Amino acid sequence: MTELLRVINSFQELDLETEQAVRKYFVEEKFKRGEFIITEGKICSKIYFIKSGLVRRFCVEDGIEVTKWIYTDNQFVTSLSSFFEQKPSFESFQVSEETIVYSLSFQDEQVLLEYPLFSKFHIKLLRVYLSKLNEFHHFYTSMNAQEKYLYLLNSLPQIILKAKLKDIASLIGVSSETLSRIRAQIT
């Protein structure tokens, strides 16, 4: 729980009462490699904070799994539209290695949002995530495959170190063979 509280406090310092509520409502869960934490077509009922591990977000397009993002330690993970609007998810989230998370149910999130300091954290986190998502989408869509790989290597090295090559290749939109050539050119 230390990691989760450290991240929350980096956005908004909590008082003791709010911290105790966070400890009460966030639940530690463990997932084995290959397990799904969110499944396409089902309503996402939880938001997760990754204590340790790796989670791949993907969609199936023309029968092929296309990796949309890879999440690592100390990141929040959920199917945003499914969780916030309580509607079926259009994407799946699968654990790529043994992963430990702290989960918060939709109902318990509503309770925590009654705590003013948690609510402030929530707003600050959403603002930062939306800003980063917008910025990332703007720059990432204009990059070629090598630039995308270099971006990941420099900005998010945990993805490069921990994820399967086929998932990284899918994320940057190339074949595994092309990714191998890109990697060879860089080293």
Side-chain angles (χ1 to χ4, degrees):
M1 191 70 57
T2 306
E3 304 86 353
L4 172 61
L5 288 168
R6 183 181 49 75
V7 169
I8 291 173
N9 279 302
S10 73
F11 283 90
Q12 174 62 54
E13 197 165 329
L14 302 181
D15 59 15
L16 184 59
E17 180 186 8
T18 307
E19 185 175 308
Q20 288 173 336
V22 167
R23 288 180 185 277
K24 176 181 177 182
Y25 291 110
F26 274 89
V27 178
E28 184 175 292
E29 293 186 57
K30 295 179 182 177
F31 293 94
K32 294 178 184 162
R33 182 179 179 202
E35 283 189 272
F36 287 84
I37 62 172
I38 300 167
T39 306
E40 178 185 354
K42 294 186 178 175
I43 295 173
C44 176
S45 61
K46 296 178 182 177
I47 189 166
Y48 302 91
F49 175 83
I50 302 173
K51 177 181 178 183
S52 63
L54 194 70
V55 176
R56 177 177 71 106
R57 177 171 58 99
F58 69 93
C59 297
V60 177
E61 297 174 2
D62 299 324
I64 299 169
E65 290 182 2
V66 178
T67 301
K68 298 297 185 178
W69 196 246
I70 299 168
Y71 301 87
T72 59
D73 301 356
N74 299 320
Q75 290 186 310
F76 286 94
V77 177
T78 195
S79 177
L80 292 172
S81 59
S82 179
F83 181 76
F84 290 127
E85 296 180 45
Q86 289 295 279
K87 65 182 186 180
S89 177
F90 59 83
E91 54 196 351
S92 294
F93 292 70
Q94 185 178 32
V95 171
S96 299
E97 65 183 32
E98 187 172 298
T99 299
I100 301 170
V101 299
Y102 296 112
S103 66
L104 179 67
S105 72
F106 181 80
Q107 293 78 14
D108 289 342
E109 183 205 35
Q110 302 310 302
V111 173
L112 279 178
L113 288 172
E114 295 298 319
Y115 289 80
L117 294 176
F118 186 82
S119 189
K120 282 184 178 182
F121 152 73
H122 198 269
I123 291 166
K124 289 177 181 180
L125 178 72
L126 286 175
R127 289 174 66 102
V128 167
Y129 270 43
L130 289 171
S131 174
K132 287 185 182 289
L133 183 65
N134 185 50
E135 184 178 284
F136 171 79
H137 182 71
H138 173 74
F139 291 113
Y140 201 72
T141 54
S142 65
M143 293 178 187
N144 65 36
Q146 184 169 346
E147 291 168 334
K148 288 177 183 178
Y149 183 80
L150 286 169
Y151 172 83
L152 293 174
L153 185 63
N154 294 323
S155 302
L156 303 155
Q158 273 192 306
I159 291 175
I160 301 299
L161 293 172
K162 295 175 78 174
K164 294 177 191 173
L165 289 181
K166 72 176 187 72
D167 294 336
I168 296 169
S170 177
L171 178 61
I172 65 174
V174 297
S175 68
S176 295
E177 295 78 16
T178 301
L179 177 58
S180 293
R181 285 193 291 275
I182 290 169
R183 290 167 53 114
Q185 291 172 353
I186 292 171
T187 55

